[in-house]
Amino acid sequence: MTSTVPALGTRTAEGSALQAVLLDMDGTLVDTEGFWWDAEVAVFGSLGHALDEAWREVVVGGPMTRSAGFLIEATGADITLPELTVLLNDGFEERISSALPLMPGAARLLAELAAHEVPTALVSASHRRIIDRVLTSLGPEHFALTVAGDEVERTKPYPDPYLLAAAGLGADPARCAVIEDTATGVAAAEAAGCHVVAVPSVAPIPPANRRTVVPSLEHVNLPFLHGLMGY
């Protein structure tokens, strides 16, 4: 069947075309950062510890090992990191079992990328078990590959997940646009050499070189992403 979708990804002589789009999951595509915090509050409450609201900005967007490790140290809770990881993942899954809200503009953006056949990857610090659950709401068909936090030796803020995703799509990281909602994710994408669109969820993120900050995904479309490759 002949497509009526214009070919927006045509490479120029300078090689400036967008090659791939790499997207974070929690807080970027799905409105789940609050669910993670609620799970953390509930689990530590059951252990007899109250979490300081200020810690939310510390743990948001981080890998489970870092976030859980920080909370154990901050509270002095008598629990091991592996035990806490299981409880937090269980608590999160319980909270997304009934409804999983997408961020404004997420469904439209994913549909647009798919319609134009832009290579797209989901790159998350969440564990595989969580990603697979969330994919049922996002639509696995929207992603050529997915990278989970427990599948790389070093996850965000290290560049490894984004380098792995770019390589898996056969793309140059410098020709990839990454969409992230936290400073941790932004740091990982920038360390990988990608152009970054930051859509802050919990804590503010300032603009910087090769980093564009927007208030929501409703401000992001394919022409916008192609335009990032020009600077």
Side-chain angles (χ1 to χ4, degrees), residues 195-216:
H195 292 265
V196 178
V197 179
V199 191
S201 59
V202 175
I205 300 172
N209 184 39
R210 295 172 65 89
R211 181 198 309 168
T212 302
V213 181
V214 297
S216 81

PDB file of all heavy atoms in Angstrom, residues 195-216:
ATOM      1  N   HIS A 195      21.055  14.832  21.223  1.00  0.00           N
ATOM      2  CA  HIS A 195      20.287  16.050  21.429  1.00  0.00           C
ATOM      3  C   HIS A 195      19.161  15.717  22.408  1.00  0.00           C
ATOM      4  O   HIS A 195      18.549  14.640  22.308  1.00  0.00           O
ATOM      5  CB  HIS A 195      19.685  16.542  20.118  1.00  0.00           C
ATOM      6  CG  HIS A 195      20.708  17.027  19.137  1.00  0.00           C
ATOM      7  ND1 HIS A 195      21.070  18.350  19.015  1.00  0.00           N
ATOM      8  CD2 HIS A 195      21.456  16.345  18.231  1.00  0.00           C
ATOM      9  CE1 HIS A 195      21.984  18.472  18.074  1.00  0.00           C
ATOM     10  NE2 HIS A 195      22.244  17.269  17.576  1.00  0.00           N
ATOM     11  N   VAL A 196      18.869  16.616  23.323  1.00  0.00           N
ATOM     12  CA  VAL A 196      17.913  16.318  24.384  1.00  0.00           C
ATOM     13  C   VAL A 196      16.755  17.305  24.394  1.00  0.00           C
ATOM     14  O   VAL A 196      16.952  18.512  24.287  1.00  0.00           O
ATOM     15  CB  VAL A 196      18.597  16.334  25.771  1.00  0.00           C
ATOM     16  CG1 VAL A 196      17.590  16.062  26.878  1.00  0.00           C
ATOM     17  CG2 VAL A 196      19.721  15.307  25.817  1.00  0.00           C
ATOM     18  N   VAL A 197      15.554  16.747  24.524  1.00  0.00           N
ATOM     19  CA  VAL A 197      14.364  17.532  24.812  1.00  0.00           C
ATOM     20  C   VAL A 197      13.978  17.196  26.246  1.00  0.00           C
ATOM     21  O   VAL A 197      13.674  16.042  26.555  1.00  0.00           O
ATOM     22  CB  VAL A 197      13.202  17.197  23.867  1.00  0.00           C
ATOM     23  CG1 VAL A 197      11.975  18.039  24.231  1.00  0.00           C
ATOM     24  CG2 VAL A 197      13.598  17.438  22.422  1.00  0.00           C
ATOM     25  N   ALA A 198      14.029  18.174  27.131  1.00  0.00           N
ATOM     26  CA  ALA A 198      13.671  17.962  28.529  1.00  0.00           C
ATOM     27  C   ALA A 198      12.247  18.440  28.762  1.00  0.00           C
ATOM     28  O   ALA A 198      11.891  19.564  28.397  1.00  0.00           O
ATOM     29  CB  ALA A 198      14.628  18.705  29.448  1.00  0.00           C
ATOM     30  N   VAL A 199      11.442  17.566  29.347  1.00  0.00           N
ATOM     31  CA  VAL A 199      10.062  17.888  29.713  1.00  0.00           C
ATOM     32  C   VAL A 199       9.961  17.658  31.218  1.00  0.00           C
ATOM     33  O   VAL A 199       9.549  16.590  31.661  1.00  0.00           O
ATOM     34  CB  VAL A 199       9.048  17.005  28.956  1.00  0.00           C
ATOM     35  CG1 VAL A 199       7.625  17.518  29.141  1.00  0.00           C
ATOM     36  CG2 VAL A 199       9.394  16.919  27.471  1.00  0.00           C
ATOM     37  N   PRO A 200      10.374  18.624  32.044  1.00  0.00           N
ATOM     38  CA  PRO A 200      10.488  18.396  33.489  1.00  0.00           C
ATOM     39  C   PRO A 200       9.179  17.930  34.122  1.00  0.00           C
ATOM     40  O   PRO A 200       8.117  18.475  33.840  1.00  0.00           O
ATOM     41  CB  PRO A 200      10.898  19.774  34.019  1.00  0.00           C
ATOM     42  CG  PRO A 200      11.509  20.474  32.844  1.00  0.00           C
ATOM     43  CD  PRO A 200      10.743  19.991  31.657  1.00  0.00           C
ATOM     44  N   SER A 201       9.295  16.913  34.988  1.00  0.00           N
ATOM     45  CA  SER A 201       8.104  16.384  35.659  1.00  0.00           C
ATOM     46  C   SER A 201       8.031  16.817  37.120  1.00  0.00           C
ATOM     47  O   SER A 201       7.026  17.376  37.551  1.00  0.00           O
ATOM     48  CB  SER A 201       8.079  14.850  35.572  1.00  0.00           C
ATOM     49  OG  SER A 201       9.236  14.296  36.182  1.00  0.00           O
ATOM     50  N   VAL A 202       9.075  16.575  37.882  1.00  0.00           N
ATOM     51  CA  VAL A 202       9.068  16.877  39.314  1.00  0.00           C
ATOM     52  C   VAL A 202       9.961  18.069  39.635  1.00  0.00           C
ATOM     53  O   VAL A 202       9.548  18.993  40.333  1.00  0.00           O
ATOM     54  CB  VAL A 202       9.513  15.647  40.135  1.00  0.00           C
ATOM     55  CG1 VAL A 202       9.631  16.012  41.614  1.00  0.00           C
ATOM     56  CG2 VAL A 202       8.519  14.498  39.943  1.00  0.00           C
ATOM     57  N   ALA A 203      11.185  18.047  39.133  1.00  0.00           N
ATOM     58  CA  ALA A 203      12.151  19.113  39.419  1.00  0.00           C
ATOM     59  C   ALA A 203      12.467  19.888  38.140  1.00  0.00           C
ATOM     60  O   ALA A 203      12.485  19.311  37.054  1.00  0.00           O
ATOM     61  CB  ALA A 203      13.425  18.522  40.002  1.00  0.00           C
ATOM     62  N   PRO A 204      12.717  21.194  38.248  1.00  0.00           N
ATOM     63  CA  PRO A 204      13.023  21.986  37.059  1.00  0.00           C
ATOM     64  C   PRO A 204      14.343  21.577  36.420  1.00  0.00           C
ATOM     65  O   PRO A 204      15.248  21.079  37.098  1.00  0.00           O
ATOM     66  CB  PRO A 204      13.083  23.414  37.597  1.00  0.00           C
ATOM     67  CG  PRO A 204      13.374  23.276  39.050  1.00  0.00           C
ATOM     68  CD  PRO A 204      12.712  22.008  39.477  1.00  0.00           C
ATOM     69  N   ILE A 205      14.436  21.781  35.099  1.00  0.00           N
ATOM     70  CA  ILE A 205      15.648  21.499  34.337  1.00  0.00           C
ATOM     71  C   ILE A 205      15.941  22.718  33.475  1.00  0.00           C
ATOM     72  O   ILE A 205      15.082  23.137  32.700  1.00  0.00           O
ATOM     73  CB  ILE A 205      15.482  20.255  33.438  1.00  0.00           C
ATOM     74  CG1 ILE A 205      15.171  19.013  34.290  1.00  0.00           C
ATOM     75  CG2 ILE A 205      16.740  20.019  32.600  1.00  0.00           C
ATOM     76  CD1 ILE A 205      14.811  17.791  33.466  1.00  0.00           C
ATOM     77  N   PRO A 206      17.114  23.322  33.603  1.00  0.00           N
ATOM     78  CA  PRO A 206      17.418  24.518  32.804  1.00  0.00           C
ATOM     79  C   PRO A 206      17.807  24.145  31.380  1.00  0.00           C
ATOM     80  O   PRO A 206      18.314  23.042  31.133  1.00  0.00           O
ATOM     81  CB  PRO A 206      18.603  25.138  33.556  1.00  0.00           C
ATOM     82  CG  PRO A 206      19.295  23.961  34.156  1.00  0.00           C
ATOM     83  CD  PRO A 206      18.203  22.993  34.544  1.00  0.00           C
ATOM     84  N   PRO A 207      17.600  25.037  30.426  1.00  0.00           N
ATOM     85  CA  PRO A 207      18.076  24.789  29.060  1.00  0.00           C
ATOM     86  C   PRO A 207      19.596  24.848  29.012  1.00  0.00           C
ATOM     87  O   PRO A 207      20.239  25.418  29.899  1.00  0.00           O
ATOM     88  CB  PRO A 207      17.436  25.915  28.253  1.00  0.00           C
ATOM     89  CG  PRO A 207      17.184  26.998  29.251  1.00  0.00           C
ATOM     90  CD  PRO A 207      16.880  26.310  30.546  1.00  0.00           C
ATOM     91  N   ALA A 208      20.183  24.235  27.991  1.00  0.00           N
ATOM     92  CA  ALA A 208      21.639  24.233  27.828  1.00  0.00           C
ATOM     93  C   ALA A 208      21.958  23.909  26.382  1.00  0.00           C
ATOM     94  O   ALA A 208      21.058  23.672  25.570  1.00  0.00           O
ATOM     95  CB  ALA A 208      22.287  23.210  28.768  1.00  0.00           C
ATOM     96  N   ASN A 209      23.229  23.886  26.057  1.00  0.00           N
ATOM     97  CA  ASN A 209      23.645  23.533  24.705  1.00  0.00           C
ATOM     98  C   ASN A 209      23.176  22.127  24.356  1.00  0.00           C
ATOM     99  O   ASN A 209      23.348  21.194  25.143  1.00  0.00           O
ATOM    100  CB  ASN A 209      25.172  23.611  24.602  1.00  0.00           C
ATOM    101  CG  ASN A 209      25.671  23.354  23.194  1.00  0.00           C
ATOM    102  OD1 ASN A 209      25.062  23.804  22.224  1.00  0.00           O
ATOM    103  ND2 ASN A 209      26.772  22.633  23.079  1.00  0.00           N
ATOM    104  N   ARG A 210      22.572  21.973  23.192  1.00  0.00           N
ATOM    105  CA  ARG A 210      22.013  20.690  22.721  1.00  0.00           C
ATOM    106  C   ARG A 210      20.889  20.192  23.629  1.00  0.00           C
ATOM    107  O   ARG A 210      20.541  19.018  23.588  1.00  0.00           O
ATOM    108  CB  ARG A 210      23.109  19.623  22.589  1.00  0.00           C
ATOM    109  CG  ARG A 210      24.142  19.952  21.527  1.00  0.00           C
ATOM    110  CD  ARG A 210      25.300  18.970  21.572  1.00  0.00           C
ATOM    111  NE  ARG A 210      24.888  17.613  21.218  1.00  0.00           N
ATOM    112  CZ  ARG A 210      24.880  17.127  19.983  1.00  0.00           C
ATOM    113  NH1 ARG A 210      25.225  17.889  18.959  1.00  0.00           N
ATOM    114  NH2 ARG A 210      24.535  15.875  19.751  1.00  0.00           N
ATOM    115  N   ARG A 211      20.323  21.078  24.432  1.00  0.00           N
ATOM    116  CA  ARG A 211      19.198  20.726  25.304  1.00  0.00           C
ATOM    117  C   ARG A 211      18.109  21.782  25.176  1.00  0.00           C
ATOM    118  O   ARG A 211      18.334  22.957  25.414  1.00  0.00           O
ATOM    119  CB  ARG A 211      19.640  20.637  26.758  1.00  0.00           C
ATOM    120  CG  ARG A 211      18.513  20.253  27.730  1.00  0.00           C
ATOM    121  CD  ARG A 211      18.870  20.589  29.168  1.00  0.00           C
ATOM    122  NE  ARG A 211      20.172  20.075  29.552  1.00  0.00           N
ATOM    123  CZ  ARG A 211      20.814  20.435  30.667  1.00  0.00           C
ATOM    124  NH1 ARG A 211      20.277  21.342  31.479  1.00  0.00           N
ATOM    125  NH2 ARG A 211      21.999  19.939  30.944  1.00  0.00           N
ATOM    126  N   THR A 212      16.908  21.328  24.826  1.00  0.00           N
ATOM    127  CA  THR A 212      15.756  22.209  24.708  1.00  0.00           C
ATOM    128  C   THR A 212      14.738  21.812  25.767  1.00  0.00           C
ATOM    129  O   THR A 212      14.442  20.623  25.935  1.00  0.00           O
ATOM    130  CB  THR A 212      15.107  22.089  23.313  1.00  0.00           C
ATOM    131  OG1 THR A 212      16.088  22.399  22.316  1.00  0.00           O
ATOM    132  CG2 THR A 212      13.931  23.037  23.171  1.00  0.00           C
ATOM    133  N   VAL A 213      14.216  22.775  26.491  1.00  0.00           N
ATOM    134  CA  VAL A 213      13.242  22.502  27.554  1.00  0.00           C
ATOM    135  C   VAL A 213      11.864  22.965  27.095  1.00  0.00           C
ATOM    136  O   VAL A 213      11.705  24.093  26.618  1.00  0.00           O
ATOM    137  CB  VAL A 213      13.633  23.222  28.865  1.00  0.00           C
ATOM    138  CG1 VAL A 213      12.623  22.916  29.967  1.00  0.00           C
ATOM    139  CG2 VAL A 213      15.037  22.809  29.292  1.00  0.00           C
ATOM    140  N   VAL A 214      10.883  22.074  27.207  1.00  0.00           N
ATOM    141  CA  VAL A 214       9.504  22.394  26.841  1.00  0.00           C
ATOM    142  C   VAL A 214       8.588  22.012  27.997  1.00  0.00           C
ATOM    143  O   VAL A 214       8.924  21.147  28.807  1.00  0.00           O
ATOM    144  CB  VAL A 214       9.065  21.653  25.553  1.00  0.00           C
ATOM    145  CG1 VAL A 214       9.900  22.101  24.363  1.00  0.00           C
ATOM    146  CG2 VAL A 214       9.156  20.145  25.738  1.00  0.00           C
ATOM    147  N   PRO A 215       7.414  22.648  28.097  1.00  0.00           N
ATOM    148  CA  PRO A 215       6.518  22.354  29.223  1.00  0.00           C
ATOM    149  C   PRO A 215       5.795  21.027  29.128  1.00  0.00           C
ATOM    150  O   PRO A 215       5.373  20.474  30.143  1.00  0.00           O
ATOM    151  CB  PRO A 215       5.537  23.530  29.204  1.00  0.00           C
ATOM    152  CG  PRO A 215       5.576  24.049  27.812  1.00  0.00           C
ATOM    153  CD  PRO A 215       6.969  23.821  27.318  1.00  0.00           C
ATOM    154  N   SER A 216       5.604  20.493  27.924  1.00  0.00           N
ATOM    155  CA  SER A 216       4.915  19.210  27.786  1.00  0.00           C
ATOM    156  C   SER A 216       5.186  18.634  26.404  1.00  0.00           C
ATOM    157  O   SER A 216       5.692  19.327  25.500  1.00  0.00           O
ATOM    158  CB  SER A 216       3.410  19.356  27.992  1.00  0.00           C
ATOM    159  OG  SER A 216       2.778  19.825  26.814  1.00  0.00           O
TER     160      SER A 216
END
